[in-house]
Amino acid sequence: MKKKLSIRDIAEQLKVSKTTVSFVLNGKAAENGVSKAMERRVLAYIEKVGYRPNRMAQGLRTGRSKTIGMMVEDISDAFFSSIARKFEEILSVKGYRIIYGSTENNTAVAKDLIQVFRNHQVDGYIIAPPPGIEEDIRELIADELPVIVFDRTLPNLEVDSVLVDNHQGAYRATRHLLDNGYKHITLVTLTSEQIQMRERERGYLDCLAEAGKRAKILRIKYHEQREKAVSDIEKNIPADTDAVLFATNYLAENGLEAIAMRRWNIPDQVAIAVFDDCNWFKLFKPSITAVAQPLEAICTEVVDLLLQKLEHAGHKAPRSLHLPTHLVIRDSSQQRSQ
Amino acid sequence: MKKKLSIRDIAEQLKVSKTTVSFVLNGKAAENGVSKAMERRVLAYIEKVGYRPNRMAQGLRTGRSKTIGMMVEDISDAFFSSIARKFEEILSVKGYRIIYGSTENNTAVAKDLIQVFRNHQVDGYIIAPPPGIEEDIRELIADELPVIVFDRTLPNLEVDSVLVDNHQGAYRATRHLLDNGYKHITLVTLTSEQIQMRERERGYLDCLAEAGKRAKILRIKYHEQREKAVSDIEKNIPADTDAVLFATNYLAENGLEAIAMRRWNIPDQVAIAVFDDCNWFKLFKPSITAVAQPLEAICTEVVDLLLQKLEHAGHKAPRSLHLPTHLVIRDSSQQRSQ
DNA sequence: CTGAAAGCGCTAACAT
DNA sequence: ATGTTAGCGCTTTCAG
């Protein structure tokens, strides 16, 4: 049984002081005048016995945990889990680990999670915020803790953020449906007031308004029983609908089922477009048109902003990035006759 | 700016000692004879000022971080991210958070991750092990650290594990295809030696052997370029194949594309069944037959085993659970003529 | 019933 | 160039 080593053991074995070991460990050998030879000796020994400093002790001492708290709506969602993976990739090379929490868009859960992250002394916060936590986020910022929000933001909240251009994405998808000859485009969205949803709605509305068409919006409650969502859509989708834009992947999942129940043929009777792409969409028959979010870019931008704050703390004016989406046109939105 | 409070501040404000506060905090008021009144007073004050103990200090002192390390193949995979979500749900009510790491089945990455988790002093390990880390896991166990492996295990490794009955799942899927009149069933699997893959293969082989049919196995390398995997399958799938069992979701994703390129009609020219279900499968046309894993059960069992170890340490004989899979029969595996 | 004090492993100012 | 030491915030033993 490998006994747990401490820096003191290392120092004793090596007949040097803890300080020296500590300096070497933290790459501060040179600046503190530890000889190159000594540095190599320490490094070699550490390597040999597989010593790694105790993060708890380090953390207690330095106030930094090398841990990032990531709060999303649902880690099992394809969008957020892809994001989680990329954050992990980028942050792990910088020595950070991630602890995550799913809010289900619940304010109380989110508030609690922020406290939990605080207890864990996370060094930074990556947050896809549910409604109602503006104040909590402001407190983090007031305490100089690095916070980046992404995917959506909150009204009147000044914070670094990385968003996609939801308006543009929905606008283009709608435009595309119109261009392909569809006339009665229904938006299926959530009842939620979240900004990204509002923006998607606005994109859709603006496009239809320009085209002089009437908008039809079907609002579904978040996370009821799956079956309820399906029947809700099935029952309430306007009968003259000839195209549907689903505002989220989750809605598409239920909505496609509803459309199958109605036996509407895609794309001849009804066209489909979905906000948020998914690997499986290209395999559907017909394949499904989607607004793809730039996952890679979102993640690198978030981490960039975060690392900047982590490395040189200090209040800069919050920056807000808007990344473009990309419309992936597939078969579900183009009539065969065309 | 809310100043960070320490237990000492609380004690001073309240004019009691840190000890008393600590006892109350840890629910040890009664057993240490702190008066009910005092307990209430402390609790009320803590609540009021929003004090939460510093985990780093607690951790340093107690050696416990209230953090679990979860190592999976890829957190962005639908299976693992669903699992991650459920672990989170169950563990968070017990006060644990999860840090995760994706191995991509890479031995070196996994070894490193175990070290990282150790530094972070995680209290327990939940591991979907890649090959070659038996020794590392044995070390954890030797050091009395709670380890549970799931999804797969490693040869000659004695450790608590929660697996599904891969053999049975593949056997039944194969049986089902035979029963539906398909005669040339090809298994598309990974080149990987992993036990769960081997078991699936055995299930398939045993079933065909019983039926006196010839087996055809197509092995694909893990995580090449997606396009390579697709063309690999397209080129090498036996021409007389009339049914395909994909050993994983990932293979199905590429294999379905390959089949589309070949313009084989499902289910008339070729039937499809996939190991591992996915929400989208019921929406495919035709909907796709799949072997569903009991996610919920896997998670509760893993956490159960883990919490037992966490709560009363000590060496018990390792337990190994095998959970049944469930064949979800859909349209991709039944000829219309039937 | 309550308080004083040791010490977990580490970092970094200060001493030598 | 290297060593000594205080103390981060907490838990827990032991004394009062």
Side-chain angles (χ1 to χ4, degrees):
Chain A
M1 160 155 165
K2 202 160 73 181
K3 234 357 300 91
K4 206 86 238 276
L5 295 155
S6 82
I7 194 170
R8 182 221 195 95
D9 300 318
I10 305 291
E12 276 172 11
Q13 304 298 317
L14 248 28
K15 310 254 180 252
V16 300
S17 84
K18 292 194 304 172
T19 315
T20 307
V21 179
S22 175
F23 282 150
V24 172
L25 233 44
N26 294 292
K28 295 184 180 168
E31 77 192 60
N32 287 87
V34 173
S35 68
K36 271 273 168 243
M38 174 62 88
E39 182 175 6
R40 264 193 303 275
R41 195 157 78 93
V42 173
L43 250 18
Y45 187 71
I46 281 171
E47 169 74 13
K48 180 178 137 222
V49 298
Y51 164 77
R52 303 270 211 123
N54 177 327
R55 273 241 177 286
M56 289 286 160
Q58 264 181 328
L60 179 58
R61 185 60 237 235
T62 61
R64 265 159 315 95
S65 61
K66 284 293 192 174
T67 304
I68 302 294
M70 179 183 70
M71 185 168 113
V72 296
E73 188 173 315
D74 178 0
I75 187 77
S76 74
D77 178 88
F79 174 73
F80 289 117
S81 64
S82 299
I83 293 266
R85 178 73 164 85
K86 290 189 201 297
F87 281 152
E88 180 201 348
E89 260 169 34
I90 315 178
L91 285 171
S92 68
V93 319
K94 300 278 183 183
Y96 290 95
R97 295 312 315 172
I98 300 171
I99 67 181
Y100 65 90
S102 304
T103 62
E104 289 290 352
N105 268 329
N106 183 118
T107 307
V109 172
K111 280 173 179 280
D112 194 60
L113 213 38
I114 287 181
Q115 284 311 314
V116 172
F117 285 171
R118 280 194 91 132
N119 302 151
H120 276 265
Q121 322 286 125
V122 302
D123 296 340
Y125 297 74
I126 297 178
I127 299 181
I133 62 162
E134 293 87 338
E135 207 39 64
D136 309 72
I137 292 183
R138 275 194 210 102
E139 264 175 29
L140 294 178
I141 296 172
D143 293 350
E144 316 236 339
L145 296 166
V147 180
I148 315 290
V149 312
F150 77 106
D151 187 52
R152 54 192 91 173
T153 183
L154 262 13
N156 303 317
L157 183 61
E158 298 241 317
V159 55
D160 287 70
S161 58
V162 177
L163 310 169
V164 302
D165 195 333
N166 288 290
H167 181 279
Q168 176 220 47
Y171 182 98
R172 290 217 188 134
T174 310
R175 184 73 255 162
H176 162 76
L177 291 168
L178 287 172
D179 289 347
N180 278 269
Y182 297 98
K183 308 209 184 313
H184 302 280
I185 305 173
T186 297
L187 173 72
V188 178
T189 184
L190 293 166
T191 48
S192 141
E193 296 289 323
Q194 293 179 76
I195 281 184
Q196 81 280 24
M197 290 298 136
R198 284 292 176 218
E199 286 297 301
R200 291 174 195 181
E201 191 172 323
R202 269 194 37 232
Y204 161 84
L205 289 172
D206 287 353
C207 181
L208 288 190
E210 274 175 27
K213 303 269 184 205
R214 238 186 60 233
K216 281 167 208 147
I217 300 188
L218 176 55
R219 291 179 203 283
I220 302 296
K221 277 216 204 89
Y222 182 75
H223 252 207
E224 305 175 74
Q225 301 281 68
R226 271 190 110 290
E227 296 73 28
K228 273 228 67 188
V230 173
S231 72
D232 223 28
I233 297 174
E234 197 214 342
K235 283 198 203 94
N236 298 310
I237 196 159
D240 64 349
T241 297
D242 68 2
V244 182
L245 172 57
F246 290 107
T248 74
N249 229 290
Y250 164 79
L251 289 165
E253 207 178 307
N254 297 312
L256 287 172
E257 202 169 335
I259 282 170
M261 287 167 70
R262 284 218 162 202
R263 306 197 171 279
W264 283 353
N265 179 291
I266 303 171
D268 293 323
Q269 287 174 274
V270 62
I272 300 290
V274 182
F275 207 109
D276 230 4
D277 199 6
C278 153
N279 281 337
W280 298 105
F281 284 170
K282 68 170 171 309
L283 296 169
F284 273 68
K285 301 251 162 50
S287 56
I288 294 185
T289 294
V291 178
Q293 303 200 47
L295 294 182
E296 195 76 38
I298 292 172
C299 293
T300 55
E301 294 296 353
V302 167
V303 174
D304 250 36
L305 288 173
L306 188 64
L307 288 176
Q308 276 179 38
K309 298 215 154 196
L310 246 23
E311 279 155 22
H312 2 260
H315 261 204
K316 295 207 190 64
R319 277 176 297 175
S320 181
L321 268 52
H322 281 252
L323 305 175
T325 59
H326 169 60
L327 182 64
V328 183
I329 297 172
R330 299 202 184 94
D331 299 334
S332 68
S333 57
Q334 311 183 70
Q335 269 163 338
R336 283 168 206 155
S337 50
Q338 295 218 338
Chain B
M1 161 155 163
K2 201 161 71 183
K3 220 34 267 97
K4 206 87 235 276
L5 296 154
S6 81
I7 195 171
R8 182 221 196 96
D9 300 317
I10 305 292
E12 276 172 10
Q13 303 297 316
L14 249 27
K15 311 259 181 245
V16 301
S17 84
K18 293 193 304 172
T19 315
T20 308
V21 179
S22 175
F23 283 151
V24 171
L25 234 45
N26 294 293
K28 295 185 180 167
E31 77 192 59
N32 288 88
V34 173
S35 69
K36 272 276 170 236
M38 174 62 89
E39 182 174 9
R40 266 194 301 275
R41 197 158 78 92
V42 173
L43 250 18
Y45 186 72
I46 280 169
E47 169 76 12
K48 182 178 135 221
V49 299
Y51 166 75
R52 302 269 211 123
N54 178 328
R55 273 241 178 287
M56 289 285 159
Q58 266 182 325
L60 179 58
R61 185 59 235 241
T62 61
R64 264 159 318 96
S65 61
K66 284 294 193 173
T67 304
I68 302 294
M70 179 184 71
M71 186 167 110
V72 296
E73 187 173 315
D74 177 0
I75 187 75
S76 75
D77 177 90
F79 173 73
F80 289 116
S81 66
S82 298
I83 292 265
R85 178 74 165 84
K86 291 189 200 297
F87 281 152
E88 180 200 347
E89 260 168 35
I90 315 177
L91 286 171
S92 68
V93 319
K94 301 276 180 184
Y96 290 96
R97 295 313 313 173
I98 299 171
I99 66 180
Y100 65 90
S102 305
T103 62
E104 289 290 352
N105 269 328
N106 183 117
T107 308
V109 172
K111 281 173 178 279
D112 194 59
L113 214 39
I114 287 182
Q115 284 311 313
V116 172
F117 285 171
R118 280 194 92 131
N119 302 151
H120 276 265
Q121 322 285 128
V122 303
D123 296 341
Y125 297 75
I126 297 179
I127 299 180
I133 63 162
E134 293 88 338
E135 206 40 63
D136 308 73
I137 292 185
R138 276 195 208 103
E139 264 175 31
L140 293 178
I141 295 171
D143 292 350
E144 315 237 340
L145 295 166
V147 180
I148 316 291
V149 311
F150 77 104
D151 186 52
R152 56 195 88 176
T153 184
L154 263 15
N156 304 317
L157 183 61
E158 298 242 315
V159 56
D160 288 72
S161 58
V162 177
L163 309 170
V164 302
D165 195 334
N166 288 290
H167 180 279
Q168 175 219 48
Y171 182 99
R172 290 218 188 134
T174 309
R175 182 76 256 159
H176 162 76
L177 291 168
L178 288 173
D179 289 347
N180 278 269
Y182 296 98
K183 309 210 185 310
H184 301 280
I185 305 173
T186 298
L187 173 72
V188 178
T189 184
L190 293 167
T191 48
S192 141
E193 296 290 323
Q194 294 179 76
I195 281 183
Q196 81 279 26
M197 290 299 135
R198 284 289 174 222
E199 285 298 301
R200 290 173 196 182
E201 189 172 324
R202 267 195 37 233
Y204 161 83
L205 289 172
D206 288 354
C207 182
L208 286 191
E210 275 176 27
K213 303 270 183 201
R214 235 186 62 233
K216 281 168 207 145
I217 300 188
L218 177 55
R219 292 179 202 284
I220 302 296
K221 275 215 206 89
Y222 181 75
H223 251 206
E224 303 177 76
Q225 300 281 68
R226 271 190 108 291
E227 297 72 28
K228 272 228 68 189
V230 173
S231 72
D232 223 27
I233 297 175
E234 198 214 341
K235 283 200 202 92
N236 298 312
I237 195 159
D240 64 350
T241 298
D242 68 3
V244 181
L245 173 58
F246 290 107
T248 73
N249 229 291
Y250 164 79
L251 289 166
E253 206 178 308
N254 297 312
L256 288 173
E257 202 169 335
I259 283 170
M261 286 167 70
R262 282 218 164 203
R263 307 197 169 278
W264 283 353
N265 181 292
I266 303 171
D268 293 321
Q269 288 174 272
V270 63
I272 301 291
V274 181
F275 207 109
D276 230 4
D277 199 6
C278 154
N279 280 337
W280 298 106
F281 283 171
K282 68 170 173 309
L283 296 169
F284 273 67
K285 300 257 163 41
S287 57
I288 295 186
T289 294
V291 178
Q293 304 200 45
L295 293 183
E296 196 76 38
I298 292 171
C299 293
T300 55
E301 295 295 355
V302 168
V303 175
D304 251 36
L305 288 173
L306 187 65
L307 287 176
Q308 277 179 38
K309 297 215 152 194
L310 246 22
E311 279 154 21
H312 2 260
H315 262 203
K316 297 209 187 60
R319 277 176 300 175
S320 182
L321 268 54
H322 280 251
L323 305 175
T325 58
H326 168 60
L327 182 64
V328 184
I329 298 173
R330 300 203 183 91
D331 300 333
S332 68
S333 57
Q334 311 182 71
Q335 269 163 339
R336 283 166 206 155
S337 49
Q338 294 218 338

